[in-house]
Amino acid sequence: MKYLTPGPIQLPREVLNYINNQPYFHRSNEFKEIFSSVIEKMEKIIGEEVLIFPGTGTFSIDTMVYNYVNPNEDVLLIDIGEFSKRLGESLISRNARLHIIKSEIGDVVAPDIVEDYSKKINDLKAIAMVHNETSLGVANRYVEKIQDIASSLNAILLVDSVSGIPAEKIGKKIDVIATASHKAFMSIPGASIIFYNIKPRNLDKLPPSMNLNKFIDMKKNLETPYTPPINVIMGLDYSTNYILKIGVDNYAKMHREKTDYLKNLVKLKPVAKEEFSSNTVSAFYTNNAKTIIEDLRRKGYTIASGMGNLAKNIIRIGVMGDVNFDDIKNIAEVINYYD
């Protein structure tokens, strides 16, 4: 079975070989050496400080919210899909006063609208957004402009880029970015990852597992407060080498080329507007989602169905990891047979 899914992704054999080792003791020099290497490379790839801790993309989002938003603070959420709504659920659980601005399906909210809406909120503390909306294959490429808007209002920008970076690039420093190990960073599930340009601003005590200040303090000595996802980090050691070897720009371009090839072959209507079509995940409308997915499985391929209200009406295809043009051609032939 080969996985062209939004994540976890089809991992290259080399990554799996790196992972298939006895975990190091996390207080040993052996672990510190590989941990230091991964941190250095990830910070070079993104250009911000990084924290790596056990968890998923969802836990990364929750941790970001709880470290950077305090109860009863006003937060603007830019809603462009299902994972935007999940970000909103996290903010609600933090007892934030949530203001929501929503886009049409497949589109994003223009920066001038975000700015006008933000200015109407008296004491805005944060803007929260999804950079790469996995549920619809939509990339919000206004993220840098929205950072400027947040900064101009003395608010912070919180970004979910779980299926985005580094294949869907951000070209400037962002206040906080939450992501995970098992998508475009090309390792196995198990690591929550946060890049930050400003330190946590929570005013109350947090559960130890999500208190980023503990991780920041221990990082100085190349340690973590608790047992880290050691074998995930081993996988990241290989994948970050690979990304830096081919270059971050080329890594993003490689994903764009595979996505363009997919969209040129598949006859279905894409969900995302062309200018916001994600590099990593594509979504297409269809009346035969279940049949297509089942037939592809019989032929050795797994893709994903839709989410939320569109669960039965779209298919989602990821091109991250060990996915080649022949794979894309093969699945396109099956899809086009039904539509």
Side-chain angles (χ1 to χ4, degrees), residues 218-249:
M218 300 268 317
K219 180 184 169 185
K220 299 169 187 174
N221 298 319
L222 297 175
E223 292 192 18
T224 58
Y226 319 106
T227 305
I230 296 165
N231 288 63
V232 184
I233 292 170
M234 290 178 175
L236 288 170
D237 192 38
Y238 177 86
S239 63
T240 50
N241 278 338
Y242 173 81
I243 293 166
L244 287 171
K245 183 177 180 180
I246 68 171
V248 180
D249 288 339

Side-chain angles (χ1 to χ4, degrees), residues 4 17 59-60 119 122 180 184:
L4 280 77
N17 290 339
F59 188 67
S60 182
K119 288 178 178 178
N122 290 331

Side-chain angles (χ1 to χ4, degrees), residues 24-43 50-54 191-193 215-230 232-234 236-237 240:
Y24 296 126
F25 173 49
H26 63 291
R27 305 297 181 205
S28 68
N29 288 333
E30 290 87 354
F31 175 72
K32 288 184 179 182
E33 183 177 342
I34 195 170
F35 191 46
S36 173
S37 171
V38 169
I39 287 172
E40 180 181 350
K41 289 179 292 185
M42 293 186 81
E43 291 181 346
V50 68
L51 299 171
I52 306 170
F53 47 100
S192 295
I193 301 168
F215 288 87
I216 290 171
D217 289 342
M218 300 268 317
K219 180 184 169 185
K220 299 169 187 174
N221 298 319
L222 297 175
E223 292 192 18
T224 58
Y226 319 106
T227 305
I230 296 165
V232 184
I233 292 170
M234 290 178 175
L236 288 170
D237 192 38
T240 50

Side-chain angles (χ1 to χ4, degrees), residues 155-216:
I156 61 170
L157 180 63
L158 309 178
V159 175
D160 166 353
S161 190
V162 171
S163 66
I165 57 171
E168 188 67 56
K169 282 190 63 181
I170 299 175
K172 69 182 296 181
K173 288 185 181 295
I174 302 299
D175 291 331
V176 196
I177 304 172
T179 187
S181 56
H182 60 287
K183 300 204 179 192
F185 270 110
M186 215 162 53
S187 187
I188 57 174
S192 295
I193 301 168
I194 285 182
F195 292 92
Y196 65 101
N197 195 37
I198 59 172
K199 289 188 176 180
R201 52 180 297 279
N202 59 294
L203 300 176
D204 56 357
K205 292 182 179 180
L206 297 179
S209 64
M210 60 166 49
N211 187 336
L212 290 183
N213 282 315
K214 288 181 177 289
F215 288 87
I216 290 171

Side-chain angles (χ1 to χ4, degrees), residues 56-95:
T56 62
T58 300
F59 188 67
S60 182
I61 301 302
D62 290 343
T63 301
M64 173 177 70
V65 165
Y66 275 69
N67 278 267
Y68 287 92
V69 174
N70 292 294
N72 300 313
E73 290 184 337
D74 288 279
V75 179
L76 173 61
L77 172 68
I78 304 171
D79 181 356
I80 64 172
E82 288 298 316
F83 284 95
S84 302
K85 292 178 176 59
R86 290 191 186 185
L87 176 54
E89 289 174 0
S90 184
L91 288 160
I92 290 169
S93 77
R94 186 58 167 146
N95 290 319

